[in-house]
Amino acid sequence: TPQALEAEQSVLGSMLIDERCVPDVVGMLQPEDFYLRQNREIYETIYTMFNFSEKIDPVTVLNKMKERGVYDEQRSYDYIAQLLKITPTAANVKQYCTIVHDKSLLRALATASSEITEMVYDGVGTAQEMLEDGHPEAVVRNRELIQRTLRLPPLGFADRDFPHRRRYPVGLQPFHAVRRGIRGIHDH
């Protein structure tokens, strides 16, 4: 099974070391992208805390895990400590996320292909019927799985990446804005 447990651990460790990287991670990964259940539960905890603008650090995450009922008295504290120890820096978190996402995509593709292959060999209908309405649950489930893993950048990413750019309705840009765009956004 495609997985990268070290990358998963490094993503979590990065978020625990430096909560400033949490928005980047949340923008790149979903809880389902984590292979190991324990990693997924920690990520879901951090994800929830982020959505409620709560402080994220090892102590608050462990406390929230207890509240959510996913804290294991035997392992959670030691595992969080291990995540902090094995993650040297949060500077590479985007690379770790890319690895985790790629492995998630490979798992999704494997699942989709095996389910569709099973439908084909079971002779459940023609190709057209299978794609359109013969067995929509499997095809739709796999289509959604693949679409989830083939995420496009979120809408509005240009606003975040180019905060100084002026906005004009398409087709209505004045000449000076077009010329400025050619010369550079900071030229006046």
Side-chain angles (χ1 to χ4, degrees):
T1 302
Q3 57 183 304
L5 298 181
E6 298 83 10
E8 288 186 15
Q9 292 172 331
S10 295
V11 167
L12 298 172
S14 295
M15 291 190 294
L16 293 168
I17 289 170
D18 185 356
E19 74 174 318
R20 293 174 298 180
C21 72
V22 173
D24 289 333
V25 175
V26 168
M28 295 178 74
L29 296 176
Q30 296 295 313
E32 307 83 43
D33 291 328
F34 287 83
Y35 178 75
L36 191 65
R37 183 181 56 83
Q38 185 174 14
N39 290 344
R40 187 170 43 253
E41 289 173 349
I42 294 169
Y43 182 73
E44 287 173 340
T45 300
I46 294 172
Y47 190 91
T48 300
M49 293 174 72
F50 173 76
N51 285 331
F52 286 101
S53 301
E54 297 177 23
K55 182 81 173 139
I56 296 169
D57 63 36
V59 173
T60 59
V61 169
L62 284 168
N63 188 56
K64 183 60 80 171
M65 289 174 67
K66 288 177 185 176
E67 288 177 19
R68 294 183 64 237
V70 295
Y71 182 85
D72 182 323
E73 292 290 337
Q74 305 296 321
R75 295 181 292 186
S76 293
Y77 179 84
D78 290 338
Y79 191 66
I80 294 285
Q82 178 187 348
L83 294 175
L84 295 170
K85 188 183 296 184
I86 65 171
T87 307
T89 178
N92 299 325
V93 71
K94 289 184 181 181
Q95 288 84 1
Y96 306 147
C97 287
T98 300
I99 295 167
V100 171
H101 183 260
D102 182 65
K103 297 302 181 183
S104 176
L105 175 58
L106 290 173
R107 289 192 306 273
L109 291 172
T111 299
S113 65
S114 65
E115 287 184 11
I116 292 170
T117 299
E118 186 176 320
M119 288 171 49
V120 168
Y121 285 115
D122 286 347
V124 296
T126 67
Q128 194 67 32
E129 290 169 346
M130 286 175 34
L131 290 173
E132 288 178 357
D133 58 10
H135 292 277
E137 68 283 343
V139 174
V140 168
R141 183 174 58 252
N142 288 314
R143 185 178 298 149
E144 288 171 355
L145 186 63
I146 292 169
Q147 285 176 340
R148 179 185 61 78
T149 54
L150 291 174
R151 290 186 292 270
L152 296 174
L155 292 176
F157 77 96
D159 296 339
R160 185 175 63 245
D161 295 339
F162 305 103
H164 304 293
R165 191 180 73 197
R166 289 194 178 140
R167 310 287 184 271
Y168 296 100
V170 176
L172 300 177
Q173 295 186 357
F175 176 75
H176 73 277
V178 173
R179 190 180 57 150
R180 183 178 299 130
I182 293 170
R183 290 181 21 218
I185 62 172
H186 297 295
D187 296 343
H188 295 286

